[in-house]
Amino acid sequence: MSVRIAVYPGSFDPITNGHLDIVARLGPLVDEVVVAVLQNEEKRPLFSVAEREAMIREVVGERPGFRVESFSGLLVDFAQRVGARTIVRGLRAVSDFEYEFQMALMNRRLSPSIETVFMMPREEYTYLSSRLVKEVFALGGSLDGLVPPRVLGRLRERFAGQAPA
Ligand code: PNS
């Protein structure tokens, strides 16, 4: 029997409870989930790829059928390398749709055998993004219930000594 592997790609800078909600929903649907962290240092992420990978491993924990990897280059090439037939993306609101639609169709053109599947997170996470998490934290707002405590700790370390903007 073939193993069903799904790639869940993103920047994860940092991982949020919305991402974790998707991972939890996805787990029972496939045999293996590969969380794929984009190596996008040119976008000047707050956390390095190694830090982002470590945070994801810390908050998800050791689970059979779950692993974290980083990738550069085309997502479909990475998916093929790990033997995945499915790319999973979270869809939060209509505003996500156009970008996701373009990516899904481009990826299909590049690799017709790989299917993109969209999953909706819990309603309370539909406005949540890593970008807003960083902004709210930097401005001294509460992230209660939006990121795991471990991620909050990493944000505190990263912003240590900086007064809220
Ligand atoms: O969390 P993000 O930043 O929305 O994730 C975007 C991601 C990583 C899915 C996207 O940037 C990507 O797939 N990058 C890899 C390069 C690639 O394959 N580009 C062509 C896709 S249309």
Side-chain angles (χ1 to χ4, degrees):
M1 230 173 65
S2 64
V3 178
R4 290 162 311 165
I5 304 171
V7 168
Y8 179 38
S11 300
F12 303 106
D13 185 39
I15 188 161
T16 69
N17 284 352
H19 295 127
L20 286 174
D21 184 68
I22 298 289
V23 169
R25 286 170 198 283
L26 176 58
L29 305 180
V30 294
D31 301 308
E32 271 181 41
V33 174
V34 182
V35 174
V37 179
L38 179 67
Q39 292 173 10
N40 54 351
E41 301 302 328
E42 72 288 346
K43 276 199 191 167
R44 300 176 52 81
L46 181 61
F47 295 103
S48 70
V49 174
E51 288 171 325
R52 285 179 269 156
E53 284 187 83
M55 266 187 278
I56 297 168
R57 286 195 189 99
E58 280 165 16
V59 299
V60 176
E62 287 290 321
R63 282 196 202 178
F66 171 85
R67 66 181 202 269
V68 185
E69 290 191 23
S70 64
F71 76 103
S72 59
L74 286 176
L75 174 59
V76 288
D77 290 343
F78 173 79
Q80 253 147 13
R81 269 202 307 281
V82 299
R85 298 271 312 274
T86 311
I87 291 169
V88 173
R89 292 285 290 170
L91 205 53
R92 292 163 300 187
V94 179
S95 50
D96 280 343
F97 181 77
E98 195 166 337
Y99 170 60
E100 295 297 337
F101 184 73
Q102 283 179 352
M103 270 204 305
L105 292 185
M106 179 58 82
N107 283 333
R108 180 185 284 168
R109 187 190 164 92
L110 294 167
S111 184
S113 62
I114 295 177
E115 204 61 61
T116 299
V117 169
F118 295 102
M119 295 183 70
M120 272 65 73
R122 262 164 87 159
E123 298 92 290
E124 64 208 71
Y125 301 138
T126 48
Y127 59 89
L128 181 57
S129 69
S130 300
R131 183 182 64 78
L132 281 185
V133 159
K134 288 178 280 192
E135 188 172 317
V136 168
F137 188 87
L139 296 172
S142 166
L143 291 175
D144 253 14
L146 299 180
V147 294
R150 196 79 190 98
V151 171
L152 201 54
R154 293 289 182 118
L155 283 162
R156 286 203 185 102
E157 282 164 26
R158 186 50 41 100
F159 284 92
Q162 292 179 31

